[in-house]
Amino acid sequence: MTIVSDVLSTMPEAVRLNRYLAMCGVAARRKADELIAAGRVTVNGDPTPPGGIMVRPGQDRVEVDGAAVTPASTHVYFAVNKPAGYLSAVSDKSRRPLVTQLVHRQARAGGLHPVGRLDLRSRGLVILTDDGELSFRLQHPRHHVEKEYLVRVRRALDDDKLDRLRSGVDLDEGRTAPADVDVLESEPDGSLLRVVLRQGWKRQLRRSFSLLGTVVVDLSRVRIGPLRLGELPEGQSRPLSEAEVRELQAAVGLAGE
């Protein structure tokens, strides 16, 4: 379904330019900053400084590469059960299968993008949307949005290593944030674990388990914040309900904005 929202009526009187571009579905805020810094964005015909400026939605004319951009009057939101081998991206020079191809063509044409990453070999829940503000907030570390995974590893971990995973392991970026870890199945030749993360470094779980001396043989994301994968078949997608969208908005402080 399409979630109908009067975007302009809910916007503040003035917003930062990068946030405005995200609300228009042009790009997530970080990418919007790159467009601004590259001189590709004008406001009322004038170039903008690299750091951007405040704009008044509905009053200022914002253009990207000479084309006017305005907030969409509607946004769309999909849950996708990504199979292994699909890329969490909207394009790929190597022409690998894309997670966006798992929704119908009409939705893809509307600027859908995946919220965050799920690496090529991993499976499970991905959110696709054209709502740049919600996407930005779901990924921003300050909101601590939980992501829950089922992870099968080749070699069982002892209690000491499980405690290290729970308290944080040292990767190139620094020490990982504490994680919730529960052992669901344990056999001599491997274990099935439930892991909840509150950050999203690249291939964080695979690198963490490798550091602890085991290999991930299967990884599936089953929850993002309040949204669960449920019984959605692998390779299929479904639109989010209005209630699910409201719950995601509430989780990142967008409720009522």
Side-chain angles (χ1 to χ4, degrees), residues 143-190:
H143 294 293
H144 306 291
V145 176
E146 292 185 348
K147 298 174 181 67
E148 181 178 339
Y149 302 84
L150 295 179
V151 187
R152 188 172 292 279
V153 294
R154 182 167 296 160
R155 181 181 303 168
L157 299 176
D158 59 29
D159 289 342
D160 287 342
K161 290 182 178 179
L162 289 172
D163 286 341
R164 285 180 61 191
L165 187 61
R166 292 182 179 113
S167 61
V169 298
D170 293 321
L171 301 179
D172 291 342
E173 301 93 327
R175 175 158 292 191
T176 62
D180 297 338
V181 182
D182 298 310
V183 179
L184 303 181
E185 299 174 9
S186 183
E187 302 291 341
D189 58 350

mmCIF file of all heavy atoms in Angstrom, residues 143-190:
data_model
loop_
_atom_site.group_PDB
_atom_site.id
_atom_site.type_symbol
_atom_site.label_atom_id
_atom_site.label_comp_id
_atom_site.label_asym_id
_atom_site.label_seq_id
_atom_site.Cartn_x
_atom_site.Cartn_y
_atom_site.Cartn_z
ATOM 1 N N HIS A 143 20.109 6.781 17.469
ATOM 2 C CA HIS A 143 18.781 6.251 17.766
ATOM 3 C C HIS A 143 18.828 4.808 18.270
ATOM 4 O O HIS A 143 17.811 4.290 18.746
ATOM 5 C CB HIS A 143 17.886 6.348 16.528
ATOM 6 C CG HIS A 143 17.594 7.762 16.131
ATOM 7 N ND1 HIS A 143 16.830 8.607 16.898
ATOM 8 C CD2 HIS A 143 17.982 8.483 15.046
ATOM 9 C CE1 HIS A 143 16.758 9.797 16.306
ATOM 10 N NE2 HIS A 143 17.454 9.741 15.191
ATOM 11 N N HIS A 144 19.972 4.147 18.152
ATOM 12 C CA HIS A 144 20.168 2.805 18.722
ATOM 13 C C HIS A 144 19.055 1.844 18.299
ATOM 14 O O HIS A 144 18.516 1.096 19.122
ATOM 15 C CB HIS A 144 20.247 2.870 20.248
ATOM 16 C CG HIS A 144 21.275 3.826 20.765
ATOM 17 N ND1 HIS A 144 22.635 3.612 20.623
ATOM 18 C CD2 HIS A 144 21.144 5.023 21.399
ATOM 19 C CE1 HIS A 144 23.301 4.627 21.170
ATOM 20 N NE2 HIS A 144 22.420 5.487 21.633
ATOM 21 N N VAL A 145 18.709 1.860 17.031
ATOM 22 C CA VAL A 145 17.651 0.968 16.548
ATOM 23 C C VAL A 145 18.165 -0.473 16.564
ATOM 24 O O VAL A 145 19.199 -0.789 15.971
ATOM 25 C CB VAL A 145 17.203 1.359 15.127
ATOM 26 C CG1 VAL A 145 16.178 0.356 14.589
ATOM 27 C CG2 VAL A 145 16.606 2.764 15.142
ATOM 28 N N GLU A 146 17.447 -1.350 17.250
ATOM 29 C CA GLU A 146 17.882 -2.738 17.364
ATOM 30 C C GLU A 146 17.694 -3.489 16.049
ATOM 31 O O GLU A 146 16.708 -3.282 15.342
ATOM 32 C CB GLU A 146 17.090 -3.452 18.462
ATOM 33 C CG GLU A 146 17.399 -2.963 19.857
ATOM 34 C CD GLU A 146 16.682 -3.789 20.918
ATOM 35 O OE1 GLU A 146 15.788 -4.586 20.554
ATOM 36 O OE2 GLU A 146 17.034 -3.648 22.105
ATOM 37 N N LYS A 147 18.649 -4.368 15.765
ATOM 38 C CA LYS A 147 18.545 -5.284 14.637
ATOM 39 C C LYS A 147 18.828 -6.682 15.163
ATOM 40 O O LYS A 147 19.875 -6.919 15.759
ATOM 41 C CB LYS A 147 19.513 -4.886 13.525
ATOM 42 C CG LYS A 147 19.221 -3.492 12.950
ATOM 43 C CD LYS A 147 20.272 -3.059 11.961
ATOM 44 C CE LYS A 147 19.954 -1.655 11.433
ATOM 45 N NZ LYS A 147 20.071 -0.621 12.480
ATOM 46 N N GLU A 148 17.891 -7.581 14.916
ATOM 47 C CA GLU A 148 17.977 -8.931 15.472
ATOM 48 C C GLU A 148 18.307 -9.933 14.366
ATOM 49 O O GLU A 148 17.712 -9.889 13.278
ATOM 50 C CB GLU A 148 16.655 -9.292 16.137
ATOM 51 C CG GLU A 148 16.635 -10.670 16.776
ATOM 52 C CD GLU A 148 15.321 -10.964 17.471
ATOM 53 O OE1 GLU A 148 14.585 -10.008 17.810
ATOM 54 O OE2 GLU A 148 15.027 -12.163 17.681
ATOM 55 N N TYR A 149 19.242 -10.839 14.678
ATOM 56 C CA TYR A 149 19.727 -11.806 13.696
ATOM 57 C C TYR A 149 19.677 -13.220 14.271
ATOM 58 O O TYR A 149 19.870 -13.422 15.472
ATOM 59 C CB TYR A 149 21.175 -11.499 13.304
ATOM 60 C CG TYR A 149 21.398 -10.123 12.730
ATOM 61 C CD1 TYR A 149 21.588 -9.022 13.565
ATOM 62 C CD2 TYR A 149 21.418 -9.916 11.354
ATOM 63 C CE1 TYR A 149 21.789 -7.753 13.046
ATOM 64 C CE2 TYR A 149 21.621 -8.644 10.825
ATOM 65 C CZ TYR A 149 21.806 -7.569 11.678
ATOM 66 O OH TYR A 149 22.000 -6.310 11.168
ATOM 67 N N LEU A 150 19.464 -14.183 13.384
ATOM 68 C CA LEU A 150 19.703 -15.583 13.696
ATOM 69 C C LEU A 150 20.982 -15.973 12.981
ATOM 70 O O LEU A 150 21.088 -15.825 11.755
ATOM 71 C CB LEU A 150 18.535 -16.453 13.226
ATOM 72 C CG LEU A 150 17.192 -16.199 13.922
ATOM 73 C CD1 LEU A 150 16.120 -17.115 13.350
ATOM 74 C CD2 LEU A 150 17.297 -16.372 15.429
ATOM 75 N N VAL A 151 21.953 -16.445 13.739
ATOM 76 C CA VAL A 151 23.284 -16.709 13.194
ATOM 77 C C VAL A 151 23.687 -18.153 13.490
ATOM 78 O O VAL A 151 23.690 -18.572 14.654
ATOM 79 C CB VAL A 151 24.340 -15.751 13.800
ATOM 80 C CG1 VAL A 151 25.682 -15.938 13.095
ATOM 81 C CG2 VAL A 151 23.879 -14.300 13.717
ATOM 82 N N ARG A 152 23.998 -18.888 12.453
ATOM 83 C CA ARG A 152 24.522 -20.245 12.636
ATOM 84 C C ARG A 152 26.021 -20.225 12.369
ATOM 85 O O ARG A 152 26.467 -19.740 11.322
ATOM 86 C CB ARG A 152 23.823 -21.237 11.694
ATOM 87 C CG ARG A 152 24.189 -22.699 11.992
ATOM 88 C CD ARG A 152 23.333 -23.659 11.183
ATOM 89 N NE ARG A 152 21.943 -23.629 11.595
ATOM 90 C CZ ARG A 152 21.453 -24.278 12.641
ATOM 91 N NH1 ARG A 152 22.261 -25.003 13.414
ATOM 92 N NH2 ARG A 152 20.172 -24.207 12.936
ATOM 93 N N VAL A 153 26.778 -20.714 13.350
ATOM 94 C CA VAL A 153 28.230 -20.718 13.223
ATOM 95 C C VAL A 153 28.739 -22.155 13.176
ATOM 96 O O VAL A 153 28.101 -23.084 13.670
ATOM 97 C CB VAL A 153 28.899 -19.956 14.394
ATOM 98 C CG1 VAL A 153 28.553 -18.474 14.325
ATOM 99 C CG2 VAL A 153 28.499 -20.535 15.741
ATOM 100 N N ARG A 154 29.897 -22.325 12.567
ATOM 101 C CA ARG A 154 30.438 -23.666 12.311
ATOM 102 C C ARG A 154 30.980 -24.313 13.572
ATOM 103 O O ARG A 154 30.912 -25.525 13.730
ATOM 104 C CB ARG A 154 31.535 -23.577 11.250
ATOM 105 C CG ARG A 154 32.144 -24.907 10.851
ATOM 106 C CD ARG A 154 32.976 -24.750 9.595
ATOM 107 N NE ARG A 154 32.153 -24.355 8.457
ATOM 108 C CZ ARG A 154 32.621 -23.791 7.359
ATOM 109 N NH1 ARG A 154 33.906 -23.534 7.259
ATOM 110 N NH2 ARG A 154 31.810 -23.476 6.378
ATOM 111 N N ARG A 155 31.520 -23.528 14.490
ATOM 112 C CA ARG A 155 32.129 -24.065 15.704
ATOM 113 C C ARG A 155 31.489 -23.399 16.912
ATOM 114 O O ARG A 155 31.399 -22.170 16.975
ATOM 115 C CB ARG A 155 33.631 -23.819 15.697
ATOM 116 C CG ARG A 155 34.373 -24.363 16.909
ATOM 117 C CD ARG A 155 35.847 -24.048 16.804
ATOM 118 N NE ARG A 155 36.416 -24.592 15.571
ATOM 119 C CZ ARG A 155 37.625 -24.267 15.112
ATOM 120 N NH1 ARG A 155 38.365 -23.396 15.767
ATOM 121 N NH2 ARG A 155 38.071 -24.805 14.002
ATOM 122 N N ALA A 156 31.027 -24.214 17.868
ATOM 123 C CA ALA A 156 30.391 -23.662 19.063
ATOM 124 C C ALA A 156 31.372 -22.793 19.842
ATOM 125 O O ALA A 156 32.570 -23.073 19.886
ATOM 126 C CB ALA A 156 29.862 -24.795 19.935
ATOM 127 N N LEU A 157 30.831 -21.727 20.456
ATOM 128 C CA LEU A 157 31.647 -20.819 21.247
ATOM 129 C C LEU A 157 31.493 -21.139 22.722
ATOM 130 O O LEU A 157 30.390 -21.409 23.201
ATOM 131 C CB LEU A 157 31.224 -19.369 20.995
ATOM 132 C CG LEU A 157 31.355 -18.855 19.562
ATOM 133 C CD1 LEU A 157 30.815 -17.437 19.471
ATOM 134 C CD2 LEU A 157 32.793 -18.897 19.088
ATOM 135 N N ASP A 158 32.605 -21.074 23.462
ATOM 136 C CA ASP A 158 32.506 -21.299 24.903
ATOM 137 C C ASP A 158 31.973 -20.032 25.579
ATOM 138 O O ASP A 158 31.797 -18.979 24.953
ATOM 139 C CB ASP A 158 33.854 -21.726 25.485
ATOM 140 C CG ASP A 158 34.955 -20.700 25.264
ATOM 141 O OD1 ASP A 158 34.653 -19.485 25.185
ATOM 142 O OD2 ASP A 158 36.129 -21.110 25.173
ATOM 143 N N ASP A 159 31.729 -20.129 26.882
ATOM 144 C CA ASP A 159 31.116 -19.015 27.606
ATOM 145 C C ASP A 159 31.982 -17.764 27.581
ATOM 146 O O ASP A 159 31.455 -16.635 27.506
ATOM 147 C CB ASP A 159 30.840 -19.424 29.058
ATOM 148 C CG ASP A 159 29.705 -20.435 29.172
ATOM 149 O OD1 ASP A 159 28.925 -20.545 28.192
ATOM 150 O OD2 ASP A 159 29.599 -21.094 30.212
ATOM 151 N N ASP A 160 33.291 -17.930 27.636
ATOM 152 C CA ASP A 160 34.176 -16.762 27.619
ATOM 153 C C ASP A 160 34.031 -15.977 26.318
ATOM 154 O O ASP A 160 33.970 -14.740 26.328
ATOM 155 C CB ASP A 160 35.631 -17.192 27.806
ATOM 156 C CG ASP A 160 35.928 -17.632 29.240
ATOM 157 O OD1 ASP A 160 35.124 -17.288 30.128
ATOM 158 O OD2 ASP A 160 36.956 -18.307 29.453
ATOM 159 N N LYS A 161 33.972 -16.691 25.203
ATOM 160 C CA LYS A 161 33.851 -16.014 23.909
ATOM 161 C C LYS A 161 32.466 -15.399 23.740
ATOM 162 O O LYS A 161 32.322 -14.315 23.153
ATOM 163 C CB LYS A 161 34.168 -16.989 22.782
ATOM 164 C CG LYS A 161 35.647 -17.362 22.733
ATOM 165 C CD LYS A 161 35.964 -18.285 21.580
ATOM 166 C CE LYS A 161 37.470 -18.586 21.531
ATOM 167 N NZ LYS A 161 37.838 -19.501 20.421
ATOM 168 N N LEU A 162 31.447 -16.068 24.247
ATOM 169 C CA LEU A 162 30.107 -15.486 24.196
ATOM 170 C C LEU A 162 30.054 -14.197 25.013
ATOM 171 O O LEU A 162 29.440 -13.206 24.600
ATOM 172 C CB LEU A 162 29.080 -16.487 24.719
ATOM 173 C CG LEU A 162 28.795 -17.688 23.815
ATOM 174 C CD1 LEU A 162 27.907 -18.682 24.541
ATOM 175 C CD2 LEU A 162 28.139 -17.252 22.510
ATOM 176 N N ASP A 163 30.713 -14.188 26.165
ATOM 177 C CA ASP A 163 30.743 -12.986 26.991
ATOM 178 C C ASP A 163 31.502 -11.859 26.296
ATOM 179 O O ASP A 163 31.136 -10.675 26.431
ATOM 180 C CB ASP A 163 31.376 -13.286 28.350
ATOM 181 C CG ASP A 163 30.454 -14.085 29.255
ATOM 182 O OD1 ASP A 163 29.234 -14.100 28.995
ATOM 183 O OD2 ASP A 163 30.963 -14.710 30.216
ATOM 184 N N ARG A 164 32.555 -12.202 25.549
ATOM 185 C CA ARG A 164 33.275 -11.177 24.781
ATOM 186 C C ARG A 164 32.364 -10.557 23.735
ATOM 187 O O ARG A 164 32.378 -9.329 23.537
ATOM 188 C CB ARG A 164 34.508 -11.792 24.100
ATOM 189 C CG ARG A 164 35.665 -12.083 25.036
ATOM 190 C CD ARG A 164 36.830 -12.677 24.262
ATOM 191 N NE ARG A 164 37.334 -11.764 23.240
ATOM 192 C CZ ARG A 164 38.205 -12.120 22.295
ATOM 193 N NH1 ARG A 164 38.645 -13.377 22.254
ATOM 194 N NH2 ARG A 164 38.620 -11.242 21.414
ATOM 195 N N LEU A 165 31.565 -11.383 23.060
ATOM 196 C CA LEU A 165 30.643 -10.870 22.055
ATOM 197 C C LEU A 165 29.598 -9.975 22.706
ATOM 198 O O LEU A 165 29.218 -8.932 22.154
ATOM 199 C CB LEU A 165 29.971 -12.041 21.330
ATOM 200 C CG LEU A 165 29.083 -11.697 20.125
ATOM 201 C CD1 LEU A 165 29.883 -10.996 19.035
ATOM 202 C CD2 LEU A 165 28.452 -12.975 19.564
ATOM 203 N N ARG A 166 29.150 -10.366 23.890
ATOM 204 C CA ARG A 166 28.132 -9.570 24.589
ATOM 205 C C ARG A 166 28.681 -8.219 25.038
ATOM 206 O O ARG A 166 27.985 -7.200 24.996
ATOM 207 C CB ARG A 166 27.607 -10.350 25.801
ATOM 208 C CG ARG A 166 26.792 -11.587 25.440
ATOM 209 C CD ARG A 166 26.260 -12.291 26.685
ATOM 210 N NE ARG A 166 25.465 -13.461 26.331
ATOM 211 C CZ ARG A 166 25.808 -14.725 26.591
ATOM 212 N NH1 ARG A 166 26.961 -14.977 27.222
ATOM 213 N NH2 ARG A 166 25.027 -15.721 26.235
ATOM 214 N N SER A 167 29.928 -8.199 25.473
ATOM 215 C CA SER A 167 30.495 -6.958 26.007
ATOM 216 C C SER A 167 31.158 -6.104 24.932
ATOM 217 O O SER A 167 31.348 -4.900 25.136
ATOM 218 C CB SER A 167 31.510 -7.277 27.113
ATOM 219 O OG SER A 167 32.577 -8.062 26.605
ATOM 220 N N GLY A 168 31.516 -6.687 23.782
ATOM 221 C CA GLY A 168 32.135 -5.934 22.694
ATOM 222 C C GLY A 168 33.486 -6.506 22.308
ATOM 223 O O GLY A 168 34.275 -6.876 23.189
ATOM 224 N N VAL A 169 33.728 -6.605 21.013
ATOM 225 C CA VAL A 169 35.014 -7.079 20.516
ATOM 226 C C VAL A 169 35.677 -5.945 19.738
ATOM 227 O O VAL A 169 35.012 -5.029 19.246
ATOM 228 C CB VAL A 169 34.858 -8.329 19.615
ATOM 229 C CG1 VAL A 169 34.269 -9.480 20.408
ATOM 230 C CG2 VAL A 169 33.994 -8.030 18.399
ATOM 231 N N ASP A 170 36.988 -6.007 19.620
ATOM 232 C CA ASP A 170 37.742 -4.929 18.983
ATOM 233 C C ASP A 170 37.909 -5.202 17.491
ATOM 234 O O ASP A 170 38.603 -6.139 17.086
ATOM 235 C CB ASP A 170 39.110 -4.781 19.645
ATOM 236 C CG ASP A 170 39.015 -4.303 21.083
ATOM 237 O OD1 ASP A 170 38.160 -3.436 21.345
ATOM 238 O OD2 ASP A 170 39.767 -4.803 21.941
ATOM 239 N N LEU A 171 37.273 -4.355 16.679
ATOM 240 C CA LEU A 171 37.416 -4.398 15.229
ATOM 241 C C LEU A 171 38.201 -3.173 14.773
ATOM 242 O O LEU A 171 38.606 -2.348 15.586
ATOM 243 C CB LEU A 171 36.035 -4.445 14.563
ATOM 244 C CG LEU A 171 35.142 -5.635 14.939
ATOM 245 C CD1 LEU A 171 33.790 -5.533 14.225
ATOM 246 C CD2 LEU A 171 35.814 -6.954 14.592
ATOM 247 N N ASP A 172 38.402 -3.047 13.468
ATOM 248 C CA ASP A 172 39.204 -1.930 12.961
ATOM 249 C C ASP A 172 38.620 -0.580 13.364
ATOM 250 O O ASP A 172 39.361 0.386 13.615
ATOM 251 C CB ASP A 172 39.291 -2.007 11.434
ATOM 252 C CG ASP A 172 40.118 -3.196 10.964
ATOM 253 O OD1 ASP A 172 40.887 -3.736 11.775
ATOM 254 O OD2 ASP A 172 39.970 -3.589 9.780
ATOM 255 N N GLU A 173 37.279 -0.474 13.426
ATOM 256 C CA GLU A 173 36.637 0.800 13.746
ATOM 257 C C GLU A 173 36.686 1.123 15.233
ATOM 258 O O GLU A 173 36.433 2.250 15.644
ATOM 259 C CB GLU A 173 35.163 0.789 13.317
ATOM 260 C CG GLU A 173 34.954 0.550 11.828
ATOM 261 C CD GLU A 173 34.751 -0.923 11.501
ATOM 262 O OE1 GLU A 173 35.354 -1.791 12.191
ATOM 263 O OE2 GLU A 173 34.003 -1.204 10.559
ATOM 264 N N GLY A 174 36.995 0.122 16.045
ATOM 265 C CA GLY A 174 36.976 0.289 17.490
ATOM 266 C C GLY A 174 36.257 -0.881 18.134
ATOM 267 O O GLY A 174 36.060 -1.925 17.520
ATOM 268 N N ARG A 175 35.877 -0.700 19.382
ATOM 269 C CA ARG A 175 35.165 -1.767 20.090
ATOM 270 C C ARG A 175 33.680 -1.713 19.756
ATOM 271 O O ARG A 175 33.058 -0.641 19.788
ATOM 272 C CB ARG A 175 35.363 -1.646 21.594
ATOM 273 C CG ARG A 175 34.551 -2.661 22.407
ATOM 274 C CD ARG A 175 35.116 -2.891 23.788
ATOM 275 N NE ARG A 175 36.402 -3.575 23.721
ATOM 276 C CZ ARG A 175 37.029 -4.083 24.781
ATOM 277 N NH1 ARG A 175 36.490 -3.991 25.980
ATOM 278 N NH2 ARG A 175 38.209 -4.687 24.645
ATOM 279 N N THR A 176 33.110 -2.871 19.447
ATOM 280 C CA THR A 176 31.688 -2.930 19.147
ATOM 281 C C THR A 176 30.873 -2.655 20.401
ATOM 282 O O THR A 176 31.317 -2.890 21.522
ATOM 283 C CB THR A 176 31.295 -4.305 18.578
ATOM 284 O OG1 THR A 176 31.558 -5.311 19.565
ATOM 285 C CG2 THR A 176 32.080 -4.615 17.315
ATOM 286 N N ALA A 177 29.668 -2.145 20.194
ATOM 287 C CA ALA A 177 28.760 -1.898 21.312
ATOM 288 C C ALA A 177 28.294 -3.230 21.894
ATOM 289 O O ALA A 177 28.292 -4.258 21.213
ATOM 290 C CB ALA A 177 27.561 -1.089 20.827
ATOM 291 N N PRO A 178 27.920 -3.237 23.159
ATOM 292 C CA PRO A 178 27.392 -4.469 23.749
ATOM 293 C C PRO A 178 26.224 -5.036 22.943
ATOM 294 O O PRO A 178 25.424 -4.284 22.382
ATOM 295 C CB PRO A 178 26.941 -4.015 25.143
ATOM 296 C CG PRO A 178 27.798 -2.832 25.449
ATOM 297 C CD PRO A 178 27.998 -2.135 24.131
ATOM 298 N N ALA A 179 26.150 -6.354 22.885
ATOM 299 C CA ALA A 179 25.115 -7.038 22.113
ATOM 300 C C ALA A 179 24.401 -8.042 23.003
ATOM 301 O O ALA A 179 24.973 -8.554 23.977
ATOM 302 C CB ALA A 179 25.735 -7.746 20.913
ATOM 303 N N ASP A 180 23.152 -8.302 22.666
ATOM 304 C CA ASP A 180 22.419 -9.385 23.322
ATOM 305 C C ASP A 180 22.691 -10.675 22.556
ATOM 306 O O ASP A 180 22.521 -10.710 21.332
ATOM 307 C CB ASP A 180 20.918 -9.106 23.332
ATOM 308 C CG ASP A 180 20.561 -7.854 24.130
ATOM 309 O OD1 ASP A 180 21.363 -7.454 24.985
ATOM 310 O OD2 ASP A 180 19.483 -7.285 23.879
ATOM 311 N N VAL A 181 23.099 -11.725 23.248
ATOM 312 C CA VAL A 181 23.423 -12.993 22.601
ATOM 313 C C VAL A 181 22.785 -14.135 23.379
ATOM 314 O O VAL A 181 23.025 -14.268 24.583
ATOM 315 C CB VAL A 181 24.957 -13.218 22.518
ATOM 316 C CG1 VAL A 181 25.260 -14.523 21.782
ATOM 317 C CG2 VAL A 181 25.636 -12.040 21.829
ATOM 318 N N ASP A 182 21.973 -14.931 22.691
ATOM 319 C CA ASP A 182 21.354 -16.111 23.295
ATOM 320 C C ASP A 182 21.683 -17.332 22.437
ATOM 321 O O ASP A 182 21.608 -17.259 21.205
ATOM 322 C CB ASP A 182 19.837 -15.962 23.387
ATOM 323 C CG ASP A 182 19.423 -14.801 24.278
ATOM 324 O OD1 ASP A 182 19.939 -14.731 25.408
ATOM 325 O OD2 ASP A 182 18.615 -13.959 23.832
ATOM 326 N N VAL A 183 22.035 -18.426 23.083
ATOM 327 C CA VAL A 183 22.301 -19.671 22.370
ATOM 328 C C VAL A 183 20.978 -20.432 22.234
ATOM 329 O O VAL A 183 20.376 -20.826 23.236
ATOM 330 C CB VAL A 183 23.341 -20.527 23.111
ATOM 331 C CG1 VAL A 183 23.588 -21.831 22.348
ATOM 332 C CG2 VAL A 183 24.643 -19.744 23.278
ATOM 333 N N LEU A 184 20.524 -20.631 20.999
ATOM 334 C CA LEU A 184 19.263 -21.343 20.743
ATOM 335 C C LEU A 184 19.489 -22.833 20.548
ATOM 336 O O LEU A 184 18.661 -23.652 20.956
ATOM 337 C CB LEU A 184 18.572 -20.752 19.516
ATOM 338 C CG LEU A 184 18.267 -19.242 19.571
ATOM 339 C CD1 LEU A 184 17.560 -18.806 18.288
ATOM 340 C CD2 LEU A 184 17.439 -18.889 20.787
ATOM 341 N N GLU A 185 20.585 -23.187 19.893
ATOM 342 C CA GLU A 185 20.950 -24.589 19.684
ATOM 343 C C GLU A 185 22.458 -24.693 19.821
ATOM 344 O O GLU A 185 23.180 -23.796 19.387
ATOM 345 C CB GLU A 185 20.542 -25.081 18.296
ATOM 346 C CG GLU A 185 19.051 -25.034 18.002
ATOM 347 C CD GLU A 185 18.752 -25.414 16.553
ATOM 348 O OE1 GLU A 185 19.683 -25.868 15.847
ATOM 349 O OE2 GLU A 185 17.593 -25.241 16.133
ATOM 350 N N SER A 186 22.928 -25.783 20.416
ATOM 351 C CA SER A 186 24.367 -25.965 20.555
ATOM 352 C C SER A 186 24.730 -27.422 20.315
ATOM 353 O O SER A 186 24.223 -28.312 21.000
ATOM 354 C CB SER A 186 24.834 -25.529 21.947
ATOM 355 O OG SER A 186 26.242 -25.632 22.065
ATOM 356 N N GLU A 187 25.574 -27.638 19.326
ATOM 357 C CA GLU A 187 26.091 -28.959 18.995
ATOM 358 C C GLU A 187 27.607 -28.857 18.889
ATOM 359 O O GLU A 187 28.156 -27.756 18.708
ATOM 360 C CB GLU A 187 25.506 -29.458 17.669
ATOM 361 C CG GLU A 187 23.980 -29.538 17.641
ATOM 362 C CD GLU A 187 23.432 -30.617 18.541
ATOM 363 O OE1 GLU A 187 24.215 -31.523 18.906
ATOM 364 O OE2 GLU A 187 22.233 -30.571 18.887
ATOM 365 N N PRO A 188 28.327 -29.970 18.977
ATOM 366 C CA PRO A 188 29.791 -29.913 18.867
ATOM 367 C C PRO A 188 30.276 -29.287 17.570
ATOM 368 O O PRO A 188 31.336 -28.645 17.534
ATOM 369 C CB PRO A 188 30.203 -31.383 18.968
ATOM 370 C CG PRO A 188 29.098 -32.039 19.731
ATOM 371 C CD PRO A 188 27.849 -31.333 19.307
ATOM 372 N N ASP A 189 29.492 -29.466 16.506
ATOM 373 C CA ASP A 189 29.948 -28.946 15.209
ATOM 374 C C ASP A 189 29.340 -27.587 14.871
ATOM 375 O O ASP A 189 29.435 -27.115 13.734
ATOM 376 C CB ASP A 189 29.621 -29.941 14.096
ATOM 377 C CG ASP A 189 28.129 -30.249 14.017
ATOM 378 O OD1 ASP A 189 27.386 -29.842 14.938
ATOM 379 O OD2 ASP A 189 27.716 -30.890 13.030
ATOM 380 N N GLY A 190 28.694 -26.928 15.834
ATOM 381 C CA GLY A 190 28.177 -25.596 15.557
ATOM 382 C C GLY A 190 27.045 -25.194 16.465
ATOM 383 O O GLY A 190 26.558 -25.992 17.270
#
